[in-house]
Amino acid sequence: MFKIGDFSSLTQVSVKTLRWYDEMGILKPYRVDANSGYRYYSAGQISRLARIRALKNLGFSLEQVKVMLDGNIQAVQIRDMLESRRSQLVGQLQQEQEKLTLVEVWLQQIENEGGDPMSQYEILIKKVEPLTVYSKRQIVPTEDMVIQLLESVWNDIAAANVRKVGPSITIYHQVEYKERDLDVEAAMPIAAGCGLETSELPPIEKAAALVYYGSHDGLPAAYGALARWIEENNYRMEGFCRTLFLTCAETEEDPGKFVTEIQVPVVSRSEAFPCAAAVSPKA
Amino acid sequence: MFKIGDFSSLTQVSVKTLRWYDEMGILKPYRVDANSGYRYYSAGQISRLARIRALKNLGFSLEQVKVMLDGNIQAVQIRDMLESRRSQLVGQLQQEQEKLTLVEVWLQQIENEGGDPMSQYEILIKKVEPLTVYSKRQIVPTEDMVIQLLESVWNDIAAANVRKVGPSITIYHQVEYKERDLDVEAAMPIAAGCGLETSELPPIEKAAALVYYGSHDGLPAAYGALARWIEENNYRMEGFCRTLFLTCAETEEDPGKFVTEIQVPVVSRSEAFPCAAAVSPKA
DNA sequence: GCTTGACTCTCCAGCCACTGGAGAGAATAA
DNA sequence: TTATTCTCTCCAGTGGCTGGAGAGTCAAGC
């Protein structure tokens, strides 16, 4: 029988943590003195505590640990929990790996160029959620006509008296760069089920996004910069580029102050993530 | 000029988050109406928000992001922050990798053997903190004499009237297994500066630890099981093993209920961690 | 039996970066 | 003038603890 302090120095688990495990019902003391409230632990409980620490060590939450230790649980359930934990870990590992790569690329750029260290960071990798939109897709002869397609979308929405819930988007349904006969979609996010026929823009798991300031004349250069960045950061374009007109003629008068976001779907150049091979045991 | 909701759908950052950034002083609205308290954002702020999101994306805290954006900060400081973030990330990656390996080994064992899925998890990898102890080191002819060495330590401590602050420990200062002439140290954690001469047990960065129940006769088998586990989990022993007598003759009468912990220092077999190579950019 | 000091108790606040909700006021459309 | 949709502020909660305050308890020495 140990008092909490002794049990703590025995197991190298802090007194606070032991009290917390008591409160959570994950490790009740063997006996609690009714008068003083003192907690007394038995030697036999060291095992349970060791298990708790081992499971926590693998990154399970206390709630999960509780289930694994208390529920009269079968091997198959343990396996399921391990499986889901594994895929979680693989995902985390990939994410961390990506962050690390980004940090290291940035460091390299500082070493090499010494320029404004913030300048690069207009660009970020993000997940784009699926979006409900009203849209029109068409093959237009030249770039200029894209705006007219967009305007026709605005007109339809104004006519139907529907609220816009996001910025105008154009999607280029072609992988290569073309000057003529562009297959382009003009889309406007609206709420679903509001009269107009809607469609769903698919999510982009990983998009390289660049926010650009200034008139639309600069957009080709911005696309170029983004393409270069994608190359340098060991990604590969895969999918259709989107342009989001965050502000444009509708909300901003001065074209020099337009704000535009370019989204390019990408995948890591090193898919079949190099760690994945090293990960499986006894490989 | 956008109201918070519009700015939110424009940037895909939630209203709550924008309010939070306001409160934290990391992104103040362009204008706040004095009467209504309504927040109004300008298109120009999209850039700052994009930077915030990009830096957060790399895993920096809001506090750090604030410093990076507000302080008139030099390239060298940015570099330092990136450097420290990088080493942090490398550490995290290694840890996650290890967890993943442990999870996968466990999964494999379930596949192969289908036995009690919890049984393995008496064992965990942990860091052992340095410890201040009173100790005696000696070459003893046989295993049995180890107990006597330990008892002599107990006697010294009792004679000096000093409190013990942890379990008795024996350390085998030899790498190979020997039956005779063991170089062994018996140690007892005590507070520093209490009269007795103390020494410091070094920390163990990574120890495979097994908690064992039962009389000391079973210890050799436990050592064997631990050694096997280490092998299977792709570790390698490196350093001197410790035995912690969590309970023994002092606190427990029944030798069948003794609780003992074995600690074996280990290193990952795959030092020069396989991901490390894949990590550097443009490798 | 009394004092001292070490231990233990409970309860509250804080961490991080938000999310969710309540209740009240403000803006906009019909 | 509603009715609806914003927006505001304030509070609670997340996980897994750590730290601290203030009060009660235990064990040893006198």
Side-chain angles (χ1 to χ4, degrees):
Chain A
M1 224 55 136
F2 305 98
K3 284 202 284 185
I4 199 167
D6 298 335
F7 198 65
S8 164
S9 59
L10 207 60
T11 56
Q12 305 289 335
V13 174
S14 82
V15 170
K16 289 275 183 183
T17 302
L18 289 173
R19 283 204 267 256
W20 176 248
Y21 287 172
D22 179 7
E23 193 177 338
M24 288 296 96
I26 199 163
L27 183 71
K28 290 278 177 202
Y30 184 78
R31 189 171 72 79
V32 177
D33 188 291
N35 283 0
S36 66
Y38 274 34
R39 294 170 177 84
Y40 293 93
Y41 293 86
S42 75
Q45 299 189 283
I46 297 172
S47 119
R48 190 178 167 89
L49 186 52
R51 274 189 175 144
I52 293 168
R53 300 309 286 186
L55 291 168
K56 282 234 38 124
N57 219 36
L58 296 182
F60 288 101
S61 72
L62 278 192
E63 210 47 53
Q64 289 173 307
V65 172
K66 198 175 170 182
V67 170
M68 290 168 104
L69 290 177
D70 286 350
N72 38 1
I73 204 164
Q74 262 99 53
V76 67
Q77 289 168 281
I78 295 269
R79 217 204 46 199
D80 289 353
M81 296 190 81
L82 287 172
E83 290 278 11
S84 84
R85 177 82 189 120
R86 183 181 59 171
S87 53
Q88 213 183 84
L89 273 168
V90 168
Q92 269 178 35
L93 220 49
Q94 277 186 20
Q95 277 189 17
E96 304 267 288
Q97 181 67 60
E98 242 160 64
K99 288 180 192 174
L100 184 55
T101 309
L102 288 171
V103 167
E104 295 199 321
V105 168
W106 195 358
L107 269 168
Q108 275 231 328
Q109 294 202 348
I110 290 176
E111 294 295 322
N112 295 347
E113 304 162 21
D116 171 10
M118 289 308 286
S119 69
Q120 167 175 13
Y121 270 71
E122 304 294 336
I123 297 172
L124 78 158
I125 298 290
K126 65 181 183 184
K127 185 178 187 321
V128 176
E129 300 297 327
L131 214 52
T132 303
V133 297
Y134 169 74
S135 77
K136 283 180 168 173
R137 180 169 168 183
Q138 203 175 308
I139 295 184
V140 300
T142 65
E143 183 79 42
D144 306 343
M145 303 293 284
V146 175
I147 299 291
Q148 292 177 30
L149 183 60
L150 202 48
E151 279 171 352
S152 118
V153 167
W154 292 343
N155 287 338
D156 291 358
I157 286 176
N161 204 16
V162 167
R163 263 167 32 84
K164 303 166 184 170
V165 299
S168 315
I169 303 167
T170 56
I171 300 149
Y172 293 85
H173 285 271
Q174 54 200 14
V175 175
E176 297 173 13
Y177 177 73
K178 294 207 288 184
E179 289 228 327
R180 315 204 136 263
D181 299 330
L182 307 150
D183 180 1
V184 73
E185 181 175 0
M188 196 75 218
I190 58 176
C194 61
L196 276 176
E197 193 181 347
T198 62
S199 58
E200 183 103 344
L201 291 188
I204 306 178
E205 277 315 307
K206 242 179 263 178
L210 178 148
V211 175
Y212 168 77
Y213 292 78
S215 87
H216 293 161
D217 301 340
L219 280 180
Y223 259 106
L226 186 51
R228 218 175 326 110
W229 184 91
I230 287 168
E231 185 68 24
E232 282 170 3
N233 284 267
N234 216 35
Y235 286 104
R236 192 161 37 79
M237 287 194 194
E238 187 163 282
F240 304 128
C241 300
R242 298 182 187 178
T243 307
L244 280 69
F245 299 96
L246 302 183
T247 69
C248 56
E250 276 188 307
T251 52
E252 175 69 48
E253 291 193 7
D254 179 358
K257 290 188 175 171
F258 284 176
V259 183
T260 316
E261 179 171 340
I262 306 171
Q263 294 177 346
V264 179
V266 295
V267 291
S268 294
R269 190 79 58 74
S270 50
E271 283 298 312
F273 178 64
C275 276
V279 139
S280 67
K282 308 176 198 171
Chain B
M1 224 55 136
F2 304 97
K3 284 202 285 186
I4 199 168
D6 298 335
F7 198 65
S8 164
S9 61
L10 208 57
T11 56
Q12 305 290 334
V13 174
S14 81
V15 169
K16 289 278 184 181
T17 302
L18 289 172
R19 283 203 268 257
W20 175 247
Y21 286 171
D22 179 8
E23 193 177 338
M24 288 296 95
I26 198 163
L27 183 72
K28 290 277 176 203
Y30 183 77
R31 189 172 73 76
V32 177
D33 188 292
N35 281 2
S36 66
Y38 274 34
R39 295 170 177 84
Y40 292 92
Y41 293 85
S42 76
Q45 298 189 284
I46 296 172
S47 121
R48 190 178 165 88
L49 186 52
R51 274 193 175 137
I52 293 168
R53 300 309 286 187
L55 291 168
K56 282 235 41 133
N57 220 36
L58 296 181
F60 289 102
S61 73
L62 277 193
E63 211 48 50
Q64 288 173 307
V65 171
K66 197 175 170 181
V67 170
M68 292 168 103
L69 290 177
D70 286 351
N72 38 2
I73 204 166
Q74 262 96 52
V76 66
Q77 289 168 282
I78 295 268
R79 218 204 46 199
D80 288 352
M81 296 190 79
L82 288 172
E83 290 279 10
S84 84
R85 177 81 189 119
R86 184 181 56 170
S87 54
Q88 212 182 90
L89 275 167
V90 169
Q92 271 178 34
L93 266 166
Q94 279 187 18
Q95 277 190 17
E96 304 268 290
Q97 181 66 61
E98 243 160 65
K99 287 180 193 175
L100 184 54
T101 309
L102 288 172
V103 167
E104 295 199 322
V105 169
W106 195 358
L107 269 167
Q108 275 231 330
Q109 294 202 346
I110 289 177
E111 294 295 323
N112 295 346
E113 303 162 23
D116 172 11
M118 289 309 285
S119 70
Q120 165 173 15
Y121 270 75
E122 303 294 334
I123 297 171
L124 79 158
I125 298 290
K126 66 180 182 185
K127 186 178 187 314
V128 176
E129 301 297 329
L131 216 50
T132 304
V133 297
Y134 169 75
S135 77
K136 281 180 168 175
R137 179 169 169 183
Q138 203 176 309
I139 296 186
V140 299
T142 66
E143 183 79 43
D144 306 341
M145 304 292 285
V146 176
I147 299 292
Q148 294 177 30
L149 184 60
L150 202 47
E151 279 171 353
S152 117
V153 167
W154 293 343
N155 287 337
D156 292 357
I157 285 176
N161 204 15
V162 166
R163 263 169 33 85
K164 304 165 185 170
V165 299
S168 315
I169 303 169
T170 56
I171 301 150
Y172 293 84
H173 285 271
Q174 55 198 16
V175 175
E176 296 175 10
Y177 178 71
K178 294 208 287 188
E179 288 229 326
R180 316 204 136 262
D181 299 329
L182 306 150
D183 179 1
V184 74
E185 183 175 358
M188 195 76 218
I190 59 175
C194 61
L196 276 176
E197 194 183 348
T198 62
S199 57
E200 182 104 346
L201 291 188
I204 307 177
E205 277 315 306
K206 241 179 261 175
L210 179 148
V211 176
Y212 169 77
Y213 293 77
S215 87
H216 294 162
D217 301 340
L219 280 180
Y223 261 106
L226 187 51
R228 217 174 327 110
W229 186 91
I230 288 168
E231 185 67 25
E232 283 170 2
N233 284 266
N234 216 36
Y235 286 105
R236 193 159 38 78
M237 287 194 193
E238 187 162 282
F240 304 129
C241 300
R242 299 182 186 177
T243 307
L244 282 69
F245 298 95
L246 302 182
T247 68
C248 56
E250 278 188 305
T251 52
E252 174 70 47
E253 291 193 8
D254 181 357
K257 290 187 177 172
F258 285 174
V259 184
T260 316
E261 180 171 341
I262 306 171
Q263 295 176 345
V264 179
V266 294
V267 291
S268 293
R269 189 79 59 74
S270 50
E271 284 299 308
F273 177 61
C275 277
V279 142
S280 67
K282 307 177 196 169

